[in-house]
Amino acid sequence: ECVSGTQLTPSGACEACPVGTYRQQGMQLTCTDCPDGKTTPSDGSKSLDDCSISKIFVFLSPMKIKE
């Protein structure tokens, strides 16, 4: 079984849960989507508590402009 924040791929390797999902070891086999309107700060989130960022905040965050 893969550790928290990762899931088993078809090839048998463990990979990080993508942004917007989480996985707690022993609780589910694959990464679970965050509730509607929420996302995670990065790949590899380990619990529902990591789904703490509002998707609208991510959408409205200013983009960095190169000069």
Side-chain angles (χ1 to χ4, degrees):
E1 182 181 8
C2 297
V3 298
S4 292
T6 64
Q7 65 183 348
L8 195 63
T9 66
S11 65
C14 293
E15 69 177 6
C17 292
V19 170
T21 66
Y22 67 94
R23 181 181 168 270
Q24 187 173 349
Q25 185 177 2
M27 300 300 288
Q28 62 260 25
L29 295 175
T30 60
C31 299
T32 301
D33 291 336
C34 289
D36 286 344
K38 297 288 185 180
T39 190
T40 58
S42 61
D43 292 343
S45 294
K46 299 176 181 180
S47 74
L48 177 60
D49 293 338
D50 293 332
C51 297
S52 58
I53 299 174
S54 171
K55 283 185 179 179
I56 192 73
F57 176 78
V58 173
F59 178 74
L60 294 176
S61 293
M63 294 174 25
K64 294 183 180 179
I65 300 172
K66 292 182 180 179
E67 293 182 12

